[in-house]
Amino acid sequence: MAEKENTQGKDVVGSVLVVGGGIAGIQASLDLADSGYYVHMTETKSAIGGVMAQLDKTFPTNDCSMCVISPKLVECGRHLNIDLMTLTEIEEVTGEMGNFTVKLRQNARYIDMDKCTACGECAKVCPIDTPNMFDEGLRDRKAAFKLYPQGMPSAFAIEKRGTAPCKATCPAHVSIQGYIALINDGRYKEALKLFKQDHPFPGICGRVCHHPCESECSRNDVDQPLAIRELHRFLADYEKQSGETYIPEITAEPRDEKVAIIGSGPTGVTAAYYLLQQGYSVTIFEKLPEPGGMMRYGIPEYRLPRDLLAEEIDVVRQMGAEIKCGVTFGSDITLESLKADGYKACFMAIGLHGGRNLGVENEDAEGVLQGVDFLRDASMGKDIDLGEDVVVVGGGNVAIDVALTAKRKGAKNVTLICLEKREEMPAWEHEIEEALEGEINIVNSFGPKSFYIDKSKRVSGIEFKTCSAVFDEDGRFNPAYDEGECQPFFGDTIIVAIGQSTNLDGIKEQGVAISRPGGLEADPVTLQTPIDWVFAGGDAYYGPKSVVDAVACGKEAAESIHRFINGLDLTDGRQKEWDFVKPEMGEEVNKPRTTVRCLDPDARECNFLEVSFGYNEEEAKTEADRCLKCGLCSECYQCVDACLANAVDHDMVADYKEINVGAIILAPGFTPFDPTEHKTYSYANHPNVVTSLEMERILSASGPYAGHLVRPSDNKEPEKIAWFQCVGSRDINCSDHSYCSSVCCMYTNKQTIIAKEHSEKELDTAVFFMDMRTHGKEFEKYYMRAKDEKGVRFIRSKVHTIDPVEDDNLSLRYITEEGELVEETFDMVVLAVGLAPNKESVDLAKTMGIDLNEHLHAATRTLEPVSSSRPGVFVCGAFQEPKDIPQSVMEASAAAATATRSLAKARGSLIKTKELPPEIDVSGQEPRVGVVVCNCGINIGGVADVPAVREYAATLPHVVHVEDNLFTCSQDTQDKMKEVITEHGINRVVVASCSPRTHEPLFQETIRDAGLNKYLFEMANIRDQNTWVHMNNPERATAKAKDLVRMAVAKAAFIEPLHQVRLEVTQKVLVVGGGVAGMEGALGVADQGLQVYLVERGDMLGGVAHKLRTTWQGEPVKPYLESLVERVRNHEKIRVLMKTEPVETTGIMGNFTTTLMTSGESLTETVVEHGATIIATGGKEYIPSEYLYAQNPNVLTHFEMDAAMDADDPRLSTAQSVAFIQCVGSRTVERPYCSRLCCTHTVKSALTLKERSPEMDIYVLYRDVRTYGFREELYKKAREKGIIFIRYNLEDNLPDVKDADGQLSVTVRDHVLQMPVELNPDLLVLATAVLPNENKDLFELFKVPINADGFLVEAHAKLRPVDFSSEGIFMAGLAHYPKALDESIAQARASVSRVMTILSRDSILVGGVVAEVDPDKCAVCVTCVRTCPYHIPYIGEEGHAVIEPAECHGCGSCVAECPGKAIQLKHFTDEQIVAKTAALFEKKKGEAA
Amino acid sequence: MNETFEPQILAYCCKYCAYAAADLAGSMRLNYPSNVKVIQVPCSGRVDILHLLTAFEGGADGVYVAG
């Protein structure tokens, strides 16, 4: 209550943030949204559902987990008052209870959820395979994916890790990982197209690129980088072979503006390539006779074949560019002339075609050549007489090209001399190696001093001085020489190749700005020169660089020119930072780089044949397969083209939001323990050792093996499977999880049974365990069934050795209880892994500022089970403590109720309601059916002939309008549908598309918006149940689509509007039972502002809690109980009626009337009206007849022991020895259930005794110690303190308790010694069963069911743990099942939340799809009364069966059973079903059979 | 019965489980013969003998109720 006071007088916000989309988060959100609070729900994954969605079946009912959770997913995904944000993380939380400000980051999905129809075309074309973690990595999925088929929101997502290093490093930012992935997939055309999106020269760069991408390639960290360059060369070669050249499509409208480009090198051609795509007309002016610039005149032909060069340049010509060669800028054309010719922009990309001089004596002598001039002349095929001996000066790539060209031009001896040491040479290593292969003599560390000339003034040699250092201390180029050591080199020709310069003749004069290093001055980002319409780029701007740099520059130039012409800001958004990510590398297998085959060195002489052969297809695929998929999504953009709904957007970025909420509920869940560290279990290196969650996926029908039980290594059906319990639980050796994970024993039980069911042959299942912990409701019986009926072997032993043996089997060695060593071979081992904390949730706790406990779960107190350490922040689910689904659901509801306690005054303030137009009265109208057939992109239309189906629909009776569309669910189509309904006076709508399960509510909403009753709607499932399953047979799919449409139309003719009736509700609640559960329930409801009647048949509030001393966490119960009683007694909204019992009750959800009888001196009758009821009638301790109880005074029950402790009973201080016997009255034939709390109680009492008298000998005689969850800590501590645990069993080792003259003697066989031991305890404590209080009449009065053990039966064992199947009645506490105090409190608060989902509004809508009785036909045979699974029908006073629309679940069972046909289920009437059935078999005239 | 005989099968499926399972078969692109048609019912308990007989009368060769 302290919490509530905090918010008084302050503005509280009527919304709640729920973090986590597992079952706990879903339940909390639904409860909140249904009780008047707006919910912001976040989930870090792309869909909600959590671990529950991954499970196959649920225990103890063996229901399909997905079937159970799926309706909740849909409800949550569509709820008007739940804002579901997937891929969202919490960044910051400020404020306080009642008013928090939360900053969120919603990561990019890369798919627009509003447009995505979940058709899956994106995944079909995605080339990236990545482990499907929903299937625990047992199979792969694509980077474009839906988490699982039923996932909500029903939309795909694209998973990106970030930009791959290759793409980020490539100056042109080509989607390298993308084209590699496409090569891997054999989609070469697509790969090439992708490359050409960002780079016009796959073949040229495939030969000459200096591939900076390869130096950052992550594969480099494993072995060698991928041969990225060779791979795109392969694509170009492949294209060339195919004879079909890809020319980028020009989608832009043609434009009038002309652009002039000076220079046809890579920069100029690239700029043209992109400008053309924008629609401009482009002219390239080239001084030399052929286009290509340095690619043609600087790179030797043996490296870059001229035909290929010409072809790649010719692409721009084919795109529409004009290339004018032999035109010199400065003389033939000038800026002025260009302007006069109407060019709107000019791009100067003139290159560096001049050399640099050494500046030493006699450099102008004949026989001294410039490298670039020499290469140009060689390229042009000029005859050059070099003589026999050639000396090349320079150590860069050009120098090597010069040397190798000289050799090919006939020089016998070529010597390359450079300043740098071998390792310092600026040339690329592979070029140097090629030079060495070409027998070029490389001499290092010499700088030229002077040229020798002969008599004819021709050069004859060159003198060199020793270079002692090339770079100075600062790393700058500043050569130091040792002139004392000089050496002459003689040759016929000396070629200087030490750098390049640009030729500025005729350029300076035009006012073009000049600067270093390339010569032209321009803005580094926009490339604009001081003359605004002139841009400059390429080598002439930035100095000598590679082709790929030129491409990058050309692209930027094109962008700037486009912006300039359109008057846009030239700089806006231009400076993108390219960060990249690397994948986490595990143990990656070495795959050596595929070597490129080359021309034999001997065959290279005197010719210019291409040296490198490139890859063939096989080599390319082998190489592509080495890619580590750094970015995950490769950005190949195939999905963009495949998505007809245009939903894919690779440019999406994270969205940052700020929301305001009154409270926060955390339900981030858990992570299954990763058993890799358990080296002895061989999990990481043996495929047939799987985790339990992997086993769930193996068993699941939607899992990797479609539910066929096979093992991963060879898909063989296993014959023997072993389960190991407590992997990552109750273990501090290999994990630091000392706690029990609570659920593993039961899921293992379930898996053994389901595995047996799935197995076609006899399956041997063995479970290796320590204690079998089946402490939940109906669990013990399940365990007994597994053991006794199904023959599951339960072996109480820890397997110490697992050896992989032949045939992928596993040999296990273990020691039995009898001490015998057994060796057994299994096909498969399942590790029952525990529920470990999430790394995510640990971070979340930090962001939220809440405390975690020592196990890294949220710290909570027993008496405030869902409150975190920060007021206003609540927790539920496995984040709080490992627990099963019903417990999570219960606490989720409890968290919802507790969180909103302080927000009650803001209830309803933020919820959204929908304004609807009045409904059109269609009564008496002939059916006018409109049929809409959906293409679903190509999902339906690509298989079935949709126009044919549409035309066919037009021939069906009552159909007045037909149409088909690409996506019926898209917003524009929905709007159109509304118009069409009005225009054609349609009064029944049939949509033939996907599944009504997912889309019916949406279409119903649409027709309702158009004024039609939402039930005037029918769907034909022609996608999920037709084109998706008959995709290989289009004709049959078309025929079946027609059949399904005909059936839907036939039913549509008979459907009627249904009207839900508004029912006023009484906002008062009756709580039966004044124990802790009843009081917590009453208080919770009252705090929400509702009147409560709390009735207690006894004369004291508090129930059994009065007998409890402390909680298991050590909190004293008494002060809590006293305060609770006081708060209940003093609450203005609670009326407590003591000594009172309900004697009569009538009514339905929202409107009950109950008569209460109060005893006393006289009987008093009170009649109360209430909208809901909570039954919390409690339980009690079993009074034993076993073990001399009531015969020997020193035999006590737990409560008696607690009382003795409270009273400081002298027997406690004198006792030297105390024994406990567990399971007294529990887990027996008469009472086959576990009482859940006695193990913890015993251990706690034992520890208290030990604390009081450390010398006392304490023995616990147990069957299985069931200290689940963090209670395991107590058990661990007890053993540490020397408390002795001796196991007994019912079969042959029942403790024998005797009384010898008042002295107790207990004999039992010790399970370790395997010998009988006799104990003589001074006190014997019996841990007796928990029984429900007897309330047969009361339960009958409220018509609530009980199970064989007398406990109340919930509506659904998993997801409705506090509801009865009768609406409006809820349960809490021991009447439901034995449970500890914290669980009772949680369940009571959960019942508050459930009550509020009904009573938070003044009225509720009832009716719709419900059964209706025709009184005239009813023969009062009570068949319906007996049939109804929910016990709704009754015989009313008028003498016929009555089915309350507010109560009816609409299952229709009574309708089918009624012999008089007196009941009809609305919307599923016999007439409608028969019409639909008959329609299948009636063929239209002219239709083929 | 000739070799090309193809039975017409009608299935009444509960919307919560069997109908959802049929959708799942679609999501997983599992093929089955196209002469199976599904009618959704709110619960398999709704299926009346009348519906089964109507189907047989119309020419169904097999009817199943799944839920």
Side-chain angles (χ1 to χ4, degrees), chain A residues 1329-1348:
Chain A
V1330 177
L1331 310 182
N1333 281 332
E1334 277 149 34
N1335 280 296
K1336 193 166 172 284
D1337 295 343
L1338 184 85
F1339 296 158
E1340 273 177 14
L1341 181 71
F1342 284 99
K1343 288 196 240 157
V1344 290
I1346 51 170
N1347 69 8

Side-chain angles (χ1 to χ4, degrees), chain A residues 982-1003:
Chain A
T982 319
E983 194 183 321
H984 297 272
I986 290 167
N987 59 19
R988 308 284 189 282
V989 177
V990 171
V991 172
S993 61
C994 45
S995 173
R997 272 184 333 109
T998 51
H999 281 70
E1000 193 171 50
L1002 173 75
F1003 296 134

